[in-house]
Amino acid sequence: RVIGDKRGRASSKLLGKNPELLDALRDRVGVPIRVIHHVRNPFDNIATMARHGNESLAQAAERYFRFLRWTAAAFERLAPAERLDSYHEDFVDDPATELRRLTRFLGVDADGAYIQACCEKVFPSPRKSRDGFQWSPELTRSIEEQMAEFPHLAPYRRLATEAEGESTR
């Protein structure tokens, strides 16, 4: 009933290069498509990418926004009812409520035992990968400017204080 991809990088890359794959998927599976777009603080994503990719923050930021542009191109092919944004902080703050919202969106029944079992796997607070790096004012500004291209990142746009280690989201 549900086909999923935990890591969006491969999907973003494929769909960015071939957005018509969404139409092919829609034809092949013959059921409504529902995309859950799990959104996290871009500075955390970039920091994690830099650490795992053994690259500079600037290189990771370039790669992050390339993936985001690919994703945005694919999302243009989705009807509003086919996509749901889920914010990482909301999920961590109240996983049961967010899981119920997500399973309703997918059209899947989730009993209390399932919700509870899932909640037990959620970290008690969001990891702030960004705190392990020094962010130059130039890179911070560049990231914030690029974030403005993406409406779903609006909750993270007040990042001047985040770059200094305080969280607004």
Side-chain angles (χ1 to χ4, degrees):
R1 294 195 52 195
V2 177
I3 301 170
D5 179 8
K6 178 186 180 296
R7 300 188 185 273
R9 178 175 44 185
S11 298
S12 295
K13 188 173 184 178
L14 281 171
L15 292 171
K17 292 182 177 190
N18 302 297
E20 66 279 353
L21 287 174
L22 271 176
D23 300 323
L25 176 65
R26 199 178 272 113
D27 292 341
R28 178 163 293 181
V29 297
V31 295
I33 291 180
R34 297 291 180 262
V35 174
I36 295 172
H37 182 220
H38 191 74
V39 184
R40 190 172 175 213
N41 183 310
F43 284 84
D44 289 326
N45 282 331
I46 292 165
T48 299
M49 291 171 74
R51 188 176 64 245
H52 289 264
N54 198 25
E55 60 190 348
S56 72
L57 288 171
Q59 291 168 318
E62 179 184 328
R63 192 162 49 105
Y64 171 80
F65 284 106
R66 183 172 56 245
F67 288 146
L68 212 50
R69 287 181 184 95
W70 287 338
T71 301
F75 284 172
E76 289 177 5
R77 298 182 89 89
L78 293 172
E82 293 179 314
R83 171 184 162 197
L84 181 68
D85 290 336
S86 171
Y87 289 89
H88 186 68
E89 296 79 7
D90 295 339
F91 190 88
V92 172
D93 287 345
D94 189 355
T97 298
E98 193 65 4
L99 281 166
R100 285 186 194 95
R101 185 175 80 94
L102 298 174
T103 56
R104 271 194 313 274
F105 173 72
L106 294 173
V108 175
D109 292 326
D111 64 25
Y114 172 80
I115 297 292
Q116 182 58 36
C118 291
C119 289
E120 291 172 6
K121 302 289 185 187
V122 178
F123 292 113
S125 64
R127 291 187 179 172
K128 295 181 181 177
S129 306
R130 64 188 177 270
D131 291 348
F133 290 87
Q134 292 292 325
W135 298 85
S136 72
E138 297 81 20
L139 181 58
T140 300
R141 233 181 340 274
S142 172
I143 291 169
E144 289 174 338
E145 287 170 4
Q146 291 179 79
M147 286 170 58
E149 296 175 42
F150 305 97
H152 71 277
L153 294 179
Y156 299 107
R157 289 201 185 125
R158 299 173 311 277
L159 294 178
T161 55
E162 289 221 17
E164 300 167 4
E166 295 178 26
S167 177
T168 58
R169 174 145 184 108

